[in-house]
Amino acid sequence: MFDQEDGELNIAIGVVFGVIAMVIALVIGMGVYQLRGHAAASGGATVKMVSAPTRGGAVDEGVVFVEIAEIGKALTVVYFDFGGSELPANAGDALAMTVVELSARPDARVLLSGFHDAAGSAEANAAVARKRALAVRAALVDLGVPVERVLLRKPAETLGGDDAARARRVEIRVQ
């Protein structure tokens, strides 16, 4: 009679340990799934930091460009004057919209891409597109956005299109 009770007890203990093992596997699986989902949301690629050379080959301290895929359309755009990298007076709405979006999405980052028009040399255009992106970055940081949430990305093609006024811009993406 005791042998039958021991057998039933062993079955019950086996079932309990089996359920515990399944719960542990489920928790680990969900953690892996969430980590992979976060990587997919950030473009599926890891962020690769690239030093930002300046004129003469020197590297600005603390300024790096990332190689990360852009996701979706730009949230907003800041347009600049010809040859200028000073933040325009009407940039406030675009910056405010960005800060609101970041507040609503605490895991998101800002991705800034600077562009230029066709006028001028390639070196000067690259420098002005970079300065425009840095101006938007500085304004966002001044508005309280942590600098580590603001990423700079050099687009593969920095020429902003045929319409010169719309080509001189910085695209702001929250992703």
Side-chain angles (χ1 to χ4, degrees):
M1 178 153 187
F2 289 113
D3 288 336
Q4 184 179 3
E5 289 177 7
D6 284 343
E8 291 172 3
L9 183 62
N10 287 341
I11 291 173
I13 290 174
V15 168
V16 168
F17 282 124
V19 168
I20 290 172
M22 287 177 54
V23 168
I24 291 171
L26 178 67
V27 169
I28 291 171
M30 288 178 63
V32 169
Y33 176 78
Q34 287 180 344
L35 286 174
R36 287 189 178 166
H38 182 66
S42 66
T46 57
V47 175
K48 179 180 177 186
M49 302 299 215
V50 180
S51 297
T54 59
R55 197 157 72 191
V59 176
D60 282 349
E61 292 299 320
V63 177
V64 293
F65 285 83
V66 296
E67 292 180 8
I68 186 171
E70 296 174 337
I71 299 174
K73 297 173 86 175
L75 171 69
T76 189
V77 178
V78 177
Y79 294 101
F80 287 80
D81 292 331
F82 176 77
S85 60
E86 296 288 324
L87 204 62
N90 63 357
D93 291 340
L95 298 173
M97 183 186 311
T98 305
V99 171
V100 168
E101 184 69 19
L102 281 173
S103 298
R105 298 171 51 193
D107 293 343
R109 297 173 293 186
V110 178
L111 185 61
L112 304 176
S113 299
F115 296 88
H116 58 80
D117 59 19
S121 71
E123 183 178 296
N125 284 339
V128 77
R130 181 178 172 279
K131 287 179 184 177
R132 289 172 179 157
L134 289 171
V136 173
R137 174 185 180 224
L140 288 170
V141 170
D142 287 347
L143 290 172
V145 176
V147 70
E148 59 272 2
R149 290 185 72 189
V150 183
L151 304 176
L152 299 170
R153 178 181 183 274
K154 181 181 177 198
E157 177 62 48
T158 58
L159 180 59
D162 293 333
D163 182 358
R166 298 185 63 79
R168 299 183 298 266
R169 69 183 185 274
V170 171
E171 293 181 352
I172 302 173
R173 285 181 168 72
V174 177
Q175 54 187 49

